Amino acid sequence: MDLRDAAQELYAVVPRDFTARRSELVREAKDAGDKELAKDIGKLGKPAAGAWAINALAVHKPEVIDGVVRFGASLRAAQEDGDADAFRQLGLRRQGELTGAVHDAKDLAAELGFPLSAAAAADVERTFRAAMADAGAAAAVATGRLVRGLSGSGFEEVDLDGAVAGGEFEPEPTSPPKSQSKPKPQSQPEGQSQPKSQSKPGAQREPKAKEKKPGEEATSLAERRAAKKKAALEEAQAEFDAAESEAKEADEAAAQAWNAVKEIERRRKAVQADIEECKKRLASLEAELIGITRDAEAAESDKKRAVRAATQQRRAADQARRRVERLG
């Protein structure tokens, strides 16, 4: 195990377990007799939440990181080649690619038991945006050893100082300089004379390469800056168009949601009114039931009294009938 291997493992660990795992790796290095490695591992700092989520993607879902890196390479190639149509089309797709990658990061973080906050998710998006604009940032993202998020607009190289843990990180240059060396003339072997066509005074000489004057170099630099600024403007316009379209769709969705809320509120009020009406009707019926119950109790008492009276009268009638029978 070396420092890079230790960082590769450590920076994919869930942040709440970072300190404990780092202590374990330090102890393993000491047990192996490598005190210098143990010291270096102990110096590894805890990554920001957004950086950890990107590291987790590099380990568990490398295809997401690869997609971001490849898309950024295509975007930069179109810009460097001056392919306005390709650059515009890619610019329209960029926000969708970013949104998809951020969603993947959020889903993975939730699966690993460490959901991302809104600030951490925004840091992930900024980092992926920088990786699409700058090859060095793309290489840093692909390492899986990010310590902090990255930020870049595309006009300047992204600051990678201290962004990657586990030893020195040397990203490839954003645009390797093309070779400007001129072909060397072939040397003639000693004792061999030059062709007669070149030894004659009137022979035509090969024209020398025209050297650029300082003014011409400044103009070329200004043209490149202007082209880059134009490309950035087109990119910003494409982003604005995409954002405007998404905003309109969001407005329509919000309007539909608002109408749905109003309809549900109307239905809620209607049901609530029905409930209140039912409560009033129930109260009225309960009062009526109480009156009927009282009337029933009174009628039952009257019935009992009438039965007793009828029984007494029937007895009296029977006695009278028996006296008549005796006398007769």
Side-chain angles (χ1 to χ4, degrees), residues 186-199:
Q186 295 181 354
S187 59
Q188 298 293 335
E190 294 183 5
Q192 183 177 346
S193 61
Q194 293 183 351
K196 293 182 179 180
S197 60
Q198 295 182 7
S199 60

Side-chain angles (χ1 to χ4, degrees), residues 226-301:
K228 193 170 184 180
K229 185 176 181 180
K230 181 181 178 182
L233 179 60
E234 291 177 351
E235 179 185 1
Q237 182 64 42
E239 287 184 2
F240 169 75
D241 294 339
E244 184 69 16
S245 177
E246 292 179 358
K248 289 181 179 179
E249 293 178 0
D251 288 341
E252 292 176 0
Q256 293 176 358
W258 180 250
N259 291 334
V261 168
K262 290 197 294 185
E263 175 61 20
I264 293 173
E265 180 65 17
R266 183 194 66 76
R267 288 168 53 194
R268 186 185 68 80
K269 289 182 177 179
V271 171
Q272 210 169 26
D274 291 343
I275 292 174
E276 293 298 327
E277 182 65 26
C278 289
K279 285 181 178 180
K280 291 180 180 178
R281 177 62 178 162
L282 178 61
S284 176
L285 291 174
E286 287 177 344
E288 185 176 354
L289 178 61
I290 291 172
I292 292 173
T293 300
R294 289 174 179 174
D295 292 344
E297 291 174 352
E300 183 68 21
S301 298

Side-chain angles (χ1 to χ4, degrees), residues 5-26:
D5 293 335
Q8 202 76 51
E9 176 186 350
L10 187 58
Y11 280 86
V13 171
V14 177
R16 62 171 169 266
D17 299 333
F18 179 89
T19 303
R21 184 53 186 154
R22 182 179 58 187
S23 299
E24 291 175 359
L25 291 172
V26 169

Side-chain angles (χ1 to χ4, degrees), residues 64-83 86-87 90-91 93-94 97 128-139 172-176 235:
V64 176
I65 300 297
D66 185 61
V68 171
V69 171
R70 288 179 180 274
F71 184 84
S74 299
L75 192 65
R76 295 192 302 276
Q79 182 177 1
E80 292 172 0
D81 295 342
D83 191 341
F87 186 78
L90 290 170
R93 287 174 47 199
R94 185 171 72 164
E97 295 287 336
F128 280 151
R129 189 182 296 275
M132 288 182 178
D134 184 88
E172 296 180 358
T174 304
S175 53
E235 179 185 1

